[in-house]
Amino acid sequence: VRESLGVALPVIFMHSFRTQADSLEALAKHPDLVVDGLPLDFLQNQEPKLRADDLTPVEWPADPTLEWCPPGHGDLYTALQTSGVLEALLAAGYKYATVSNSDNLGASPDPAMMAWFASTGAPYAAEVCRRTPADVKGGHLVVRRSDGRLVLRETAQTAPEDADAASDLTRHVYFHTNNLWFDLEQVAATLAERGGVLGLPLIKNAKTVDPTDKTSPAVIQIESAMGAAVEVFDGATAIEVPRSRFLPVKTTNDLLLLRSDVYGLGEDFLVRAQVDAPLIDLDRRFFTTIADFDARLPHVPSLVDATSLTVKGDWRFGRDVVVHGDAVLDDDGTAHAVPEGAQLG
């Protein structure tokens, strides 16, 4: 966008205390990302994890850093203000911002979307996509009967007795992509009116203090979602966007697809599907972590002719494997290798 339009479009990352160092090390390879007068990143706030039994801050001497957690991406607005980044953007003449999750590789700063949002005069907008059976657990927008406002309802905020209705694709047609647009001046004014806190609905997230140790004490993390701000702003709106603007990489199933020939990188640096993406189901016992994934999939198979790939058990893939149609690798309790050049399906 900078090259095609000749504009100094800044990119700014909100980091947590856990992601900042690693991310800045990676970003240091791209010194031209920084726009003069603006920071490349700012820090999200942190809060104590609470013991599930008595709601007091947990103590974990084995690793005191695990006693703390970020308060969800709903902290975006307060962190923008308290870090000084919001003031810096306004002082530099920027009026609008678009925000997305960093794992969404489809969320590009599209000039047409920018023009649409500016033309609406709305203070805030959310991008939504049509739901498929794979999206039934995602957050979606509803209309609050009491005042007609749009409200984001996450799965964690849905009462058990309403779960079936919430996952009904005919009742709730769209899901929330977490691609957001907002007017920086109106965000600043609203934060000033509310003392720096938008008052977003809270989400109760049950965890263990050490995420890698399920026997460690149970804790509660209190979070909020940035998309929930849709209910705060008068005149907030939503827009349906194509699925190409929602391409998250949250699991190794997603990662396999993105590394395969199903997706390609265009001259405009946008990641696009070349064919309809097949359904991938990798055994969580052996493919959950990046290290396990890389060890078993050092060579990514061709998936452009695949409809689905299901891997059950401990399998390692050789070079030049091609998947056709529906392929299943079964588990017999021992480790196996898919030989070089194998045709599956």
Side-chain angles (χ1 to χ4, degrees), residues 175-205:
F175 72 89
H176 195 280
T177 65
N178 258 1
N179 298 344
L180 308 175
W181 297 82
F182 48 78
D183 183 316
L184 292 168
E185 294 174 353
Q186 297 201 50
V187 168
T190 304
L191 283 167
E193 292 171 3
R194 298 187 174 212
V197 179
L198 291 185
L200 305 181
L202 298 181
I203 300 171
K204 174 185 174 183
N205 204 342

Side-chain angles (χ1 to χ4, degrees), residues 58-186:
V58 71
E59 294 183 4
W60 194 242
D63 185 354
T65 65
L66 293 178
E67 298 172 359
W68 297 85
C69 64
H73 46 56
D75 185 52
L76 167 71
Y77 310 99
T78 299
L80 266 174
Q81 184 192 54
T82 57
S83 66
V85 171
L86 180 55
E87 182 180 2
L89 285 168
L90 290 169
Y94 294 96
K95 180 169 175 58
Y96 305 109
T98 181
V99 181
S100 67
N101 288 349
S102 60
D103 64 17
N104 182 2
L105 302 187
S108 63
D110 180 72
M113 287 290 298
M114 296 178 191
W116 166 79
F117 181 63
S119 71
T120 66
Y124 185 100
E127 295 183 28
V128 297
C129 280
R130 288 189 177 268
R131 296 169 89 190
T132 70
D135 307 312
V136 295
K137 293 184 179 180
H140 56 274
L141 295 179
V142 296
V143 177
R144 191 162 57 198
R145 290 175 178 167
S146 61
D147 57 10
R149 285 183 182 263
L150 291 176
V151 176
L152 174 66
R153 181 169 63 169
E154 297 280 5
T155 302
Q157 296 169 308
T158 304
E161 62 270 19
D162 198 28
D164 288 343
S167 61
D168 185 342
L169 304 185
T170 62
R171 180 184 294 242
H172 300 293
V173 180
Y174 304 104
F175 72 89
H176 195 280
T177 65
N178 258 1
N179 298 344
L180 308 175
W181 297 82
F182 48 78
D183 183 316
L184 292 168
E185 294 174 353
Q186 297 201 50

Side-chain angles (χ1 to χ4, degrees), residues 323-337:
V323 182
H324 304 276
D326 297 302
V328 178
L329 297 176
D330 284 316
D331 181 17
D332 65 3
T334 60
H336 290 279

Side-chain angles (χ1 to χ4, degrees), residues 16-18 46-49 58-70 208-211 221:
S16 76
F17 61 97
R18 295 201 180 281
Q46 61 187 73
E47 64 185 12
K49 298 176 182 178
V58 71
E59 294 183 4
W60 194 242
D63 185 354
T65 65
L66 293 178
E67 298 172 359
W68 297 85
C69 64
T208 54
V209 63
D210 183 346
Q221 297 179 192

